[in-house]
Amino acid sequence: MAVDYTVIVVYLAGMLAMGWWGMRRAKSKSEFLVAGRRLGPAMYSGTMAAIVLGGASTIGGVGLGYKYGLSGAWMVFTIGLGILALSVFFSARIARLKVYTVSEMLDLRYGGRAGIISGVVMWAYTLMLAVTSTIAYATIFDVLFDLNRTVAIILGGTIVVAYSTLGGMWSITLTDMVQFVVKTIGVLLLLLPIAVVKAGGFSEMKAKLPTSYFDPLGIGGETIFTYVLIYTFGMLIGQDIWQRVFTARSDTTAKWGGTVAGTYCLVYAIAGAVIGTAAKVLYPNLGSADDAFATIVKADLPVGVRGLVLAAALAAVMSTSSGALIACATVANNDIWSRLRGAVSRDGEAHDEVKGNRVFILIMGVGVICTAIALNNVVEALTVAYNLLVGGLLVPILGGLLWKRGTAHGALASVIVGGAAVIGLMATFGILANEPVYYGLLSSLAAYVIVSLATKPTDAAVLAAWRERLAGRTPELASEPAPAHQ
């Protein structure tokens, strides 16, 4: 294993080195939070693919392939569909807004009354997303070094917090590009063909497995529909995704670069399902489907290649973890703390925004590591995150982009009613049930439409300013985002 260890150690050292390099570039708020809005198509595509394809997409995607066969691709496939929809229909408008957070967009659209409440919901989502990614370090480091779960989480989490705190989005962008290349080589070019060959090829796989493993809809129509609601729509509105859109050099880069990233996700989805199906042929009696990735890597890959593929899994987890962490810290600082501070501090009080954002990444990072140590169930934590996001924020965000009659009161009612419904229904039906997101989303939509129609339309001046921002004809938001009337 010495060669494999060397590959991993070199990879981790490289991540820290890029964090140090990124620190030298991140001199302003824009540089630190959105990489100066300067990413071209190639780098934008790679980083967008890296942020959405994390441990759940890699380890979980292979596990679903092990359990259901080719239809196990649907979870990751719906993520790719979400990125494609975001890129084709919304990314150009989002990029032209020149904001830092989703809540700032809501303030612009509705006149400044949705910020803190929507910020709290988005913060809870990004926190849980970061926690689930951090928990996944335990699986990978257990395979690599046979480490204790807590030690593994602390080790992986500390590296991500370190390079994210040092250089912000520049460090994360650079590390994500490396992680994208490592994932492509490790999973698509090495693990996929090796797994299929070891399993005897597709003809042998078909001979040894039930026909349901090769049914594209074998996982079930209701499951696929739920994946679309949670992941496809979740990709449209998540702060971690939007913050990558904000890094694009132009709206054209956001549209076409994102389209490439979405297409890559579709390929990655199919690859994970095929690898899992091959693992089912090779190891039909694993205790847990999520052990399929680690088992096939550890048992069937040659020395050196094994290290690279495990580095690919580590890259998948790190890219999502770092993206969720900076999103969580950005929301906590810009949408919650800055607004609360603005209500109690002296007008015009000077502060170092880069330093402030660094402090928040560090604080949130420590919180994420501690929460990850305390929690055990990754799937439940991820389900809570996406249920809150979709149930609480999908309607007011898409409504603001698509329906000019939507009002601030309607948006607030939608966030509160949808969020409360999701939480109540999860308590009633269980966290993993489908009802919370179904009925939470419907109640959010009903509240948005009814309250918007029952209240005074959004001020014409607010809508005019909104249209100017959508057209890209006004400058970037000032560093203090708090509007006049919260």
Side-chain angles (χ1 to χ4, degrees):
M1 291 289 286
V3 175
D4 296 325
Y5 291 160
T6 301
V7 171
I8 299 298
V9 170
V10 168
Y11 168 76
L12 294 176
M15 296 301 98
L16 292 174
M18 289 189 181
W20 180 262
W21 187 89
M23 181 178 67
R24 303 180 62 174
R25 297 200 62 165
K27 302 298 184 183
S28 67
K29 179 180 180 179
S30 177
E31 296 281 354
F32 191 83
L33 293 182
V34 291
R37 307 189 194 276
R38 296 210 302 260
L39 298 192
M43 188 166 283
Y44 178 85
S45 298
T47 57
M48 180 61 85
I51 179 67
V52 298
L53 296 175
S57 300
T58 303
I59 298 170
V62 171
L64 287 171
Y66 183 89
K67 189 173 182 180
Y68 298 105
L70 298 186
S71 67
W74 273 107
M75 184 187 78
V76 183
F77 203 84
T78 55
I79 290 173
L81 293 178
I83 295 300
L84 285 172
L86 174 71
S87 302
V88 172
F89 299 113
F90 300 108
S91 63
R93 281 182 281 178
I94 292 169
R96 286 196 293 265
L97 289 173
K98 301 295 188 217
V99 295
Y100 291 101
T101 68
V102 174
S103 293
E104 287 179 3
M105 167 264 170
L106 292 172
D107 281 345
L108 280 172
R109 168 60 181 82
Y110 296 111
R113 295 176 185 170
I116 289 182
I117 294 176
S118 62
V120 169
V121 175
M122 189 64 77
W123 174 80
Y125 155 72
T126 53
L127 178 71
M128 284 294 99
L129 187 61
V131 166
T132 58
S133 300
T134 304
I135 291 173
Y137 294 129
T139 300
I140 299 168
F141 281 110
D142 176 55
V143 175
L144 285 172
F145 307 119
D146 195 25
L147 286 179
N148 171 271
R149 177 182 184 275
T150 299
V151 175
I153 289 172
I154 292 173
L155 175 60
T158 299
I159 293 170
V160 169
V161 171
Y163 73 69
S164 300
T165 302
L166 286 172
M169 187 58 82
W170 268 124
S171 294
I172 292 170
T173 296
L174 293 169
T175 54
D176 277 359
M177 277 306 296
V178 174
Q179 289 158 356
F180 171 74
V181 172
V182 170
K183 275 192 288 193
T184 301
I185 295 172
V187 175
L188 297 185
L189 302 183
L190 292 176
L191 182 57
L192 174 61
I194 290 173
V196 172
V197 170
K198 290 279 186 178
F202 285 102
S203 59
E204 188 70 14
M205 290 161 63
K206 286 184 177 181
K208 290 187 176 181
L209 294 173
T211 55
S212 62
Y213 268 71
F214 302 91
D215 179 358
L217 303 179
I219 199 169
E222 184 179 356
T223 299
I224 295 170
F225 180 67
T226 303
Y227 284 158
V228 170
L229 276 185
I230 294 177
Y231 296 115
T232 300
F233 286 118
M235 292 299 109
L236 297 180
I237 58 174
Q239 170 67 25
D240 52 323
I241 309 301
W242 277 40
Q243 201 156 345
R244 296 310 172 101
V245 177
F246 300 151
T247 66
R249 179 190 301 161
S250 65
D251 51 8
T252 303
T253 296
K255 181 175 182 178
W256 295 111
T259 301
V260 171
T263 305
Y264 179 90
C265 291
L266 303 183
V267 174
Y268 200 88
I270 296 169
V274 171
I275 292 167
T277 305
K280 182 67 175 180
V281 172
L282 294 168
Y283 308 99
N285 300 312
L286 292 179
S288 169
D290 284 341
D291 292 337
F293 180 88
T295 301
I296 198 168
V297 168
K298 199 169 185 178
D300 291 294
L301 297 185
V303 171
V305 173
R306 179 171 50 209
L308 185 59
V309 173
L310 287 172
L314 196 57
V317 176
M318 282 186 158
S319 56
T320 299
S321 180
S322 59
L325 176 59
I326 194 171
C328 179
T330 302
V331 170
N333 189 14
N334 288 266
D335 293 336
I336 302 174
W337 173 244
S338 289
R339 296 164 189 269
L340 296 175
R341 185 192 61 211
V344 298
S345 65
R346 297 189 304 274
D347 290 338
E349 181 180 349
H351 59 285
D352 183 339
E353 293 207 72
V354 173
K355 181 180 178 181
N357 282 296
R358 276 201 179 102
V359 169
F360 266 86
I361 290 178
L362 183 59
I363 293 171
M364 292 298 111
V366 171
V368 164
I369 291 171
C370 293
T371 307
I373 292 171
L375 290 179
N376 285 314
N377 196 312
V378 178
V379 176
E380 287 191 359
L382 194 62
T383 303
V384 169
Y386 276 99
N387 281 353
L388 279 174
L389 178 70
V390 174
L393 290 179
L394 178 69
V395 171
I397 292 171
L398 293 190
L401 289 169
L402 300 173
W403 190 42
K404 67 179 182 179
R405 187 60 181 83
T407 67
H409 291 98
L412 280 172
S414 178
V415 173
I416 294 169
V417 171
V422 164
I423 293 170
L425 290 166
M426 283 192 294
T428 303
F429 291 98
I431 289 175
L432 299 180
N434 293 327
E435 286 84 357
V437 72
Y438 291 170
Y439 298 121
L441 191 54
L442 287 174
S443 63
S444 178
L445 177 61
Y448 182 71
V449 173
I450 292 170
V451 176
S452 290
L453 292 175
T455 53
K456 183 180 177 181
T458 304
D459 186 85
V462 172
L463 286 177
W466 166 251
R467 286 192 293 269
E468 288 292 300
R469 289 301 288 261
L470 279 179
R473 289 193 290 264
T474 53
E476 188 172 325
L477 277 183
S479 59
E480 287 291 336
H485 41 280
Q486 297 293 347

